Amino acid sequence: MTAAPRAGRATPTGLAAIGALGVVFGDIGTSPLYALSAALAPAGSIHSATVYGVTSMVVWSITLVVTVLYVGVLMRFDNDGEGGLLALLAQLRRAHPTARVRTIATGVAILGAAMFLGDSMITPAISVLSAVEGLTTFDSDLGALVVPITVAILVALFVVQRFGTARIGRVFGPIMLAWFGLLAVLGLVAIVRGPDVLVALSPHWIVLLVAEHPWSAFLALGGVVLAITGAEALFADMGHFGRRPVTIAWLAIVFPCLLLAYLGQAAAVLAAGEAGPNSFFLLVPGWATVPVVVLATVATVIASQAVISGAFSAVHQAGRLELIPGVRAVHTSTSARGQVYLPAVNLLLAVAVIGLVVGFQSSSALASAYGIAVTVTLSSTTTLLLLLLRARGSLSVPRVIGIMAILGVLLAFLAANLTKVVTGGWVPLGVGVLLVLVMWTWWRGSRRLAIARRADEPLLADLVDDLVAAPRVPGTTVYLARSIDTAPVALTTILERYRVLSEHVIVLAMRTTTSPFGVEVETRPLAPGVTVVDAGFGYHGRVRVADALAIAAARPDSAFTAEQLEDATYVVSSDSPVADRDSTLPGWQQRLFIGLERVQGSPLDLAQLPARRTVIVGRELRV
């Protein structure tokens, strides 16, 4: 097995922790711009007990969900250093659970991934909008410019995606360090002016709020959950820096700065007697409004960049795990593995994000659409953790009680957010449901197609006599296959129609492994001049046929050389699904799968094959 070196492993822990601020914590770090305002909105009039109760909800939600669940537990369940919901699914598949558990896990992963992509649409819109809205606290007449400025920033952000984030990523960490320092200073100043707000650290205020105003407390949960948006990024992006730097950055910088920011906002709200749509800017002196707005906007752009990059990564991984159709991916860095740009996803996200800004016009209105996707994603990840622990036999009673308690909190967040369906929650819910249907259909259809393919393809072992008897011509031909045991249709077609083969024949079986990166290569001779190569590619890495063949050619016992591969012809078997009345898939799902198959990326792009030396042989298979 070979693998690219992990970027950043040699970086000192302190520098890696600062670097993580820009990539991992952008989303959760900009939540103070809108979270507390949204949480206090259902309360109506401002009373100290209400403010203390809601603030305590925010503080303890961050503590339990982010610090305890994600940093303390989930980040210990990495997959070769990589984290995230799909990394848990890959580990579950490796654990060989029962067919029922495997199906349940895939369904949960599909739900979580779909909602994560829905969240990826809303985060850039609400983050940049909330920052630019700070201009109205300086001059209310600037309100008309908020949406145009936000749209211009977002357009520029999506345009530069094609260039990758390697260069600009170097400055993300220091900028976010300045942002968290600002949060701490502003919050601390407000706390010094109103130190009574420190009582909100006691969770008994939550109990009092629920006892006295149960409905208001329930509705407040819909805003409180906005304070933990981005928690998934701690787990999903840990592979860029490692668990230790991310943990240090959270405990030493992000967590305390967020606590100061939220407590400071609560003190400022009590001093002003109102929360308003932008309670964060109650912390900012009038003379500092413009520079704070500028820094906040830059911070939200960084947060949006992290979410967009996360969407690219999630779609790329989901395609490799056969949860969605594969789309063309451009690897934007030669040194840092896993950095991808997906043109089609970038365009769809840009249209969706800008549409949300124009449609909702303000961050307070958009907050109604936020929360559902976040809570479903967090709940899905927690459920996958429970399934993984069960598959490994590590599900002890204390673990069950602790994780189920936090899962109960997340489900309470979800219930509260369902009350916002009519006022905007239908957006992520509708997108999520659509994506779930697409992903579930693709997964089921792919399994049906695999069954039909196996039924139509003979075993390679049964073709040995034909391979030996076939006349040979100079050259090398590589036949791409999906299994090391069955013959690709392209090979059988050549044998049946032309009865001639190249001097060197390579049957390359490509598969996706449960490891995030690396290329696993095994070879075996099948007949004189015929070699079977089993190539496994990590679900998060680059798929390059040339890499697998180079590894195989370099082995001492290889039947072919690197020089012979330079002019090799590649033959790809392409399967076109057609409807089948006797299929277990309903008619609408068959039609949807056939449509998805047609928009899937070209084999030339997905496997990075040379176009001038590639031949595609097609056939129809019933699904």
Side-chain angles (χ1 to χ4, degrees), residues 378-567:
L378 299 179
S379 300
S380 299
T381 300
T382 307
T383 303
L384 283 178
L385 173 63
L386 286 170
L387 291 174
L388 178 60
L389 290 172
R390 180 179 182 274
R392 290 180 174 179
S394 304
L395 201 56
S396 62
V397 173
R399 275 182 170 176
V400 171
I401 294 175
I403 295 175
M404 289 299 295
I406 296 178
L407 183 59
V409 172
L410 293 174
L411 293 178
F413 283 141
L414 177 59
N417 276 281
L418 290 177
T419 64
K420 302 190 294 185
V421 169
V422 177
T423 57
W426 59 270
V427 174
L429 197 58
V431 171
V433 168
L434 178 61
L435 289 173
V436 166
L437 286 176
V438 168
M439 297 171 76
W440 187 253
T441 297
W442 182 259
W443 184 66
R444 292 194 66 195
S446 297
R447 295 177 71 186
R448 288 289 308 166
L449 199 62
I451 293 173
R453 187 182 297 115
R454 286 195 295 269
D456 194 54
E457 294 176 344
L459 294 174
L460 276 171
D462 295 339
L463 294 181
V464 171
D465 291 341
D466 294 334
L467 293 171
V468 172
R472 298 302 182 101
V473 296
T476 302
T477 303
V478 180
Y479 294 90
L480 268 63
R482 294 178 179 268
S483 169
I484 60 172
D485 298 317
T486 56
V489 65
L491 178 58
T492 58
T493 300
I494 296 295
L495 280 174
E496 291 172 0
R497 290 185 175 272
Y498 306 107
R499 298 189 180 278
V500 63
L501 295 173
S502 299
E503 180 183 1
H504 299 283
V505 173
I506 303 171
V507 179
L508 176 63
M510 300 174 61
R511 58 185 173 82
T512 300
T513 68
T514 55
S515 297
F517 297 102
V519 183
E520 302 173 355
V521 177
E522 296 293 338
T523 62
R524 64 180 173 88
L526 181 66
V530 182
T531 304
V532 178
V533 178
D534 179 17
F537 296 88
Y539 65 84
H540 196 0
R542 187 191 304 255
V543 177
R544 291 185 59 187
V545 168
D547 291 344
L549 292 176
I551 294 172
R555 294 188 171 172
D557 58 347
S558 176
F560 55 89
T561 64
E563 290 75 16
Q564 291 167 342
L565 293 173
E566 293 178 356
D567 295 320

Side-chain angles (χ1 to χ4, degrees), residues 32-33 36-37 187 190 260-270 279-280 282-283:
L33 288 167
L36 192 61
S37 297
L260 289 173
Y262 284 117
L263 290 170
Q265 276 190 64
V269 166
L270 288 173
S279 63
F280 171 79
L282 294 175
L283 296 172

Side-chain angles (χ1 to χ4, degrees), residues 24-299:
V24 178
F25 299 105
D27 190 1
I28 198 169
T30 53
S31 295
L33 288 167
Y34 47 81
L36 192 61
S37 297
L40 289 171
S45 57
I46 298 300
H47 301 288
S48 59
T50 301
V51 174
Y52 293 157
V54 171
T55 305
S56 189
M57 281 183 175
V58 170
V59 168
W60 283 100
S61 295
I62 295 174
T63 301
L64 292 176
V65 176
V66 184
T67 306
V68 176
L69 177 61
Y70 272 81
V71 177
V73 179
L74 271 167
M75 286 177 57
R76 297 178 183 273
F77 290 86
D78 64 289
N79 185 22
D80 190 23
E82 294 295 316
L85 181 144
L86 295 178
L88 289 177
L89 176 63
Q91 292 180 79
L92 258 168
R93 290 182 175 181
R94 187 188 301 160
H96 303 294
T98 63
R100 183 184 176 204
V101 172
R102 187 185 181 96
T103 301
I104 293 173
T106 301
V108 172
I110 285 174
L111 178 62
M115 288 301 177
F116 174 78
L117 294 175
D119 176 40
S120 300
M121 294 168 22
I122 302 175
T123 297
I126 192 173
S127 296
V128 179
L129 254 179
S130 60
V132 178
E133 282 172 348
L135 292 173
T136 60
T137 63
F138 179 74
D139 186 345
S140 58
D141 294 335
L142 296 176
L145 298 176
V146 169
V147 170
I149 292 175
T150 300
V151 169
I153 292 171
L154 290 171
V155 167
L157 178 62
F158 282 103
V159 166
V160 301
Q161 292 303 310
R162 68 183 65 186
F163 303 111
T165 59
R167 294 182 180 178
I168 57 177
R170 297 172 185 172
V171 299
F172 281 2
I175 291 176
M176 289 306 297
L177 182 61
W179 169 250
F180 284 116
L182 176 67
L183 290 181
V185 171
L186 293 176
L188 188 59
V189 170
I191 292 171
V192 170
R193 292 174 178 171
D196 291 347
V197 77
L198 292 175
V199 300
L201 292 173
S202 172
H204 85 278
W205 288 102
I206 302 176
V207 178
L208 293 177
L209 179 62
V210 172
E212 296 178 8
H213 306 286
W215 183 242
S216 295
F218 176 71
L219 294 178
L221 289 175
V224 171
V225 72
L226 303 184
I228 58 175
T229 59
E232 185 71 17
L234 274 73
F235 185 36
D237 293 333
M238 63 177 286
H240 291 289
F241 303 96
R243 181 167 67 92
R244 181 175 171 80
V246 172
T247 301
I248 290 175
W250 171 256
L251 295 177
I253 300 174
V254 182
F255 187 35
C257 290
L258 288 178
L259 292 184
L260 289 173
Y262 284 117
L263 290 170
Q265 276 190 64
V269 166
L270 288 173
E274 61 176 355
N278 298 102
S279 63
F280 171 79
F281 286 96
L282 294 175
L283 296 172
V284 183
W287 59 268
T289 299
V290 172
V292 170
V293 167
V294 171
L295 181 56
T297 302
V298 174

